[in-house]
Structure formats: structure tokens, C-alpha cells
Amino acid sequence: MRIDHLETITLRFEYADGFRYAGGQCTARVTSLVLVHTDSGQVGIGAAYSHPGLVHLIVQEQLAPLLVGEDPTEVESLWQKMYRITRWYGRKGAAMTAIGAIDTACWDLRGKSLGQPVWELLGGQRLTCPAYASALLWKEPAALAEEASKLIERGFRRVKMRLGYGGDRDRASVRAVRDAIGPNCDVMCDGSMRYSLEDAASLGEFLAEQNVFWFEEPFEPEDIDSYVALSSRVTPPLAAGENEFGLQGFRELIRAGALDIVQPDVSRCGGITEAKRVADLALTAGLRVAPHTWSDAVAVTANAHLVASLPHGITVEVDQTGNPFIEELLVEPLVVHDGLLSLSNAPGLGIELNPATLQRYRLEDPLHLPDGSYSDMIFGKSFL
Ligand SMILES: [Mg+2]
């Protein structure tokens, strides 16, 4: 099997209302898929969550010419080739994300050619992956409580909420969600990078009292010293990594003792190959792994295959904010029952894209995104 060509697909939709969080009002969502087409007719599927125009340029202008004619099942050596050629401008950010989407598609093809699911190729033995509902953005406490109850009714046993309000509002919001889900379900709190060390330490003590499962990203990703300082105080386990890339980036965090739970995202940090290396390093440091995902069902699935293969993999994130790239992208939608996401026994990632969804949300020109606040990326000054 040889690579014939690469296809990049940008998907975009606009919310009627959107949601509020510490970063402002989210008005739209965007994600990218990369398809690796082969001469055998098999197609590998990968996801990239980054600036869609940059992903498109890096994939089509630099990586595709390098990869056409290569055997896609040689994933690790292809990863090295892609990393070396992009190192000068890459290493973190869009280049690593683009490499990762191709890498994930190649893992999908490796599984398809061997007739094995990716989770099994990675050493896993289970057909399910623990999953948590990622939602509960900024709302009044009563509305948060109502939403949290609905997420539990939907089959989740863990929910993640967003903080960053500051002061009493943080505490009232956590109390409302904790009361709604009861003591037998877990709640995680995302700090959205909005805290000083002292505020995080004070809030962390309260979160520990509330038996919060983890405290995520209280600080900006570059502020490793604050993570290290906070980790010695009384708080729930500290989690971060959605803004980190590659083994070298995570090595710095892990060596510093900054985290208890690492959150590499296959669709951001360099694909299944690199996220697996990060997870292996985390294991040697006695840390647990809980990948970030937010963008689409391909990314969720790829991250779930990794978690399902890891002895120290805790759980995978599933966006529950009403994202059609989660709900409508796959022919067989994601199913969560009693806190577990079902994985397919089919070869590769075991997923098929819904052509009607691709057609409906496809943005023809990824280089010119309409202005908007896309949750993690903002285009246009008026949305700042
Ligand atoms: Mg987060």
C-alpha cells in the first residue's frame, strides 16, 4: 500500500447563541480533518485542531510531496521524516498538529491493513474507554446544576465545568454541580488559565474539600513555576497539557514535577505516535494520562484508542456543548453508557465519516476564516 494523495477538509459552523466562558463569548467552531488516500483505495482518517489555514498549507505544500509513494503503515519513520522537515518552523503549534493528523490517519491505515483496531495495535485489551462530559460553561449556578443532572442522565459519570469567574462565584458554581451529581460521580474543574498562584492555592483548597477529581490549567502553559509551586499545596490533582506539544514539551513539564495528570491531545500534540511517547514518559514518572479533546469525533476516537491501551489512562474528554462535529460527523455516532465510551472492534480507528455532514459544514477556503470567536482561536479584532 502506497500513499497516493492527502486531502485536507476544514469544517466550520456558527452557533445561534454560543456559550460564555472565561475567554468571552464563543460564536463558532472549526476543525480540520486530514485524509490519507492510498493506491489500494483504503483511506486513513486523522484530525487536526489548530489554525485551519496553517494546517492546510503545511500538509499540502510541504508534507504531501514528502509522503506520496511512501508506505503509510511505517508510521514511526514517517513521523520522524515529517518532524525533521518542519523542525525549523515547527516543534510546537500548527506543524506538530498537522504531522499528528497525518500520523493518526496512518495508524488508521496500519490497523486497516492488519485487520486490527488501533487500540489493540497499541497493546490494549478493552473495547471501552472511560469518558467524561465536557460542558458546563459559564451560567448561573442553578442552570449549571440542571445541565449537570442532564449529563448524568445521558450516561456520563464524570463532568467537567469551567471556572475562572473568580471569588465566591467559583465556589457557588462548584457547589451547585457537586450537589446535582451527588458524591458518586466525579467533577473536574477547568481554570481556563485565569488564576494567580495565591488565588489558585486558595481555590484549590476549596476544590479539595469538594472532592474535585482534578484542577485543570489554573495558569498559562508557559508558567511552569506556578504549577510546580501549586502542586506542593493542598489541591486536587493538577492537570494540563492541551496547550503543550510533543514529547520534548511534555518532558519539560514532567521533569519539573508540574503535573499529576497529563493531557496530551492526539489531534494537537503530534498524533498517536507522539501522544503514546508522552504517555510512556508519564508512566515512568508515576503520572496518569487523560487526553484533552474538544474539536470533533475523529479526535475523540483517536484519543480514546490511546487511553484504552494505557494502564495509566484515566478518561477521555467528550464535548457536550452541542457540537455537530461530535454528534453528526460519524456514520455510527459516539455512544457513552454508564461512563464508558464504546470502541469499535473494526480495523483501524473503526470509524466512517458521514458524507452529508462533511458537505454541510465544509469551508472551501481554509486560508480565510470568517471573523468569529472559535472557542480556542479568535479571528477579527471585534471578537477579542
Ligand atoms: Mg481545558
Side-chain angles (χ1 to χ4, degrees):
M1 180 163 50
R2 299 282 157 184
I3 296 176
D4 183 73
H5 68 281
L6 305 186
E7 184 182 0
T8 47
I9 298 173
T10 304
L11 301 175
R12 175 188 180 275
F13 85 93
E14 220 164 286
Y15 284 110
D17 296 322
F19 57 77
R20 271 194 73 71
Y21 72 118
Q25 181 76 18
C26 175
T27 62
R29 299 288 290 273
V30 68
T31 194
S32 305
L33 303 177
V34 177
L35 306 186
V36 174
H37 294 265
T38 66
D39 59 3
S40 70
Q42 297 270 35
V43 181
I45 307 169
Y49 188 38
S50 184
H51 186 302
L54 294 176
V55 168
H56 173 77
L57 282 174
I58 292 163
V59 169
Q60 296 300 344
E61 296 299 319
Q62 190 162 37
L63 299 177
L66 182 78
L67 297 174
V68 169
E70 297 289 332
D71 178 352
T73 66
E74 293 177 6
V75 282
E76 287 87 353
S77 68
L78 293 182
W79 195 97
Q80 292 301 336
K81 276 186 188 173
M82 293 190 282
Y83 184 76
R84 285 193 184 120
I85 203 172
T86 56
R87 177 184 275 134
W88 188 251
Y89 62 87
R91 302 183 71 218
K92 294 192 178 193
M96 279 294 267
T97 300
I99 290 171
I102 295 171
D103 174 83
T104 299
C106 289
W107 273 99
D108 187 29
L109 287 167
R110 183 191 256 186
K112 284 169 173 164
S113 76
L114 293 171
Q116 275 186 290
V118 170
W119 56 262
E120 197 172 11
L121 291 178
L122 295 170
Q125 295 186 318
R126 55 191 198 204
L127 257 170
T128 57
C129 174
Y132 70 91
S134 187
L136 301 167
L137 289 114
W138 278 16
K139 289 178 178 177
E140 291 301 318
L144 286 173
E146 193 185 328
E147 186 186 342
S149 303
K150 282 193 185 136
L151 294 170
I152 301 300
E153 277 167 29
R154 226 180 272 170
F156 288 94
R157 297 294 172 263
R158 287 182 175 139
V159 299
K160 185 163 85 184
M161 60 187 301
R162 270 68 182 181
L163 300 182
Y165 305 95
D168 291 343
R169 180 76 183 273
D170 279 336
R171 288 163 171 76
S173 303
V174 175
R175 264 195 208 99
V177 171
R178 169 52 83 200
D179 289 349
I181 65 173
N184 298 324
C185 292
D186 294 318
V187 56
M188 294 87 134
C189 293
D190 190 335
S192 300
M193 306 184 278
R194 288 299 189 282
Y195 293 90
S196 66
L197 177 58
E198 282 317 306
D199 288 347
S202 158
L203 177 62
E205 227 167 288
F206 169 78
L207 299 183
E209 286 164 24
Q210 293 291 314
N211 201 19
V212 162
F213 194 75
W214 74 54
F215 186 13
E216 176 173 326
E217 273 203 326
F219 314 117
E220 292 185 335
E222 297 82 4
D223 189 7
I224 296 175
D225 291 348
S226 289
Y227 281 97
V228 174
L230 185 63
S231 68
S232 64
R233 316 270 280 258
V234 179
T235 67
L238 278 181
E242 67 182 83
N243 282 296
E244 194 48 81
F245 298 85
L247 179 64
Q248 304 306 330
F250 279 92
R251 185 172 66 164
E252 194 180 358
L253 287 171
I254 291 170
R255 276 190 178 167
L259 301 176
D260 302 291
I261 294 167
V262 292
Q263 299 179 297
D265 180 340
V266 164
S267 74
R268 277 177 61 68
C269 83
I272 289 175
T273 297
E274 194 70 346
K276 166 78 170 138
R277 290 177 184 145
V278 171
D280 290 345
L281 184 68
L283 183 65
T284 66
L287 307 180
R288 293 178 293 164
V289 175
H292 165 270
T293 62
W294 182 242
S295 41
D296 61 67
V298 175
V300 172
T301 303
N303 279 295
H305 277 249
L306 178 66
V307 172
S309 75
L310 300 174
H312 57 315
I314 313 174
T315 185
V316 73
E317 181 168 10
V318 186
D319 176 0
Q320 290 294 297
T321 58
N323 175 353
F325 309 147
I326 296 285
E327 286 152 26
E328 300 166 29
L329 187 57
L330 304 183
V331 172
E332 297 280 340
L334 303 174
V335 176
V336 176
H337 178 68
D338 204 15
L340 298 172
L341 174 71
S342 303
L343 294 177
S344 169
N345 224 346
L349 292 173
I351 52 173
E352 206 182 321
L353 298 173
N354 185 338
T357 305
L358 297 184
Q359 198 179 18
R360 183 162 175 207
Y361 297 107
R362 192 163 187 160
L363 184 73
E364 284 310 323
D365 181 4
L367 300 182
H368 297 96
L369 219 59
D371 285 356
S373 174
Y374 291 81
S375 180
D376 294 291
M377 290 172 275
I378 290 174
F379 295 83
K381 201 173 174 182
S382 61
F383 288 90
L384 283 174

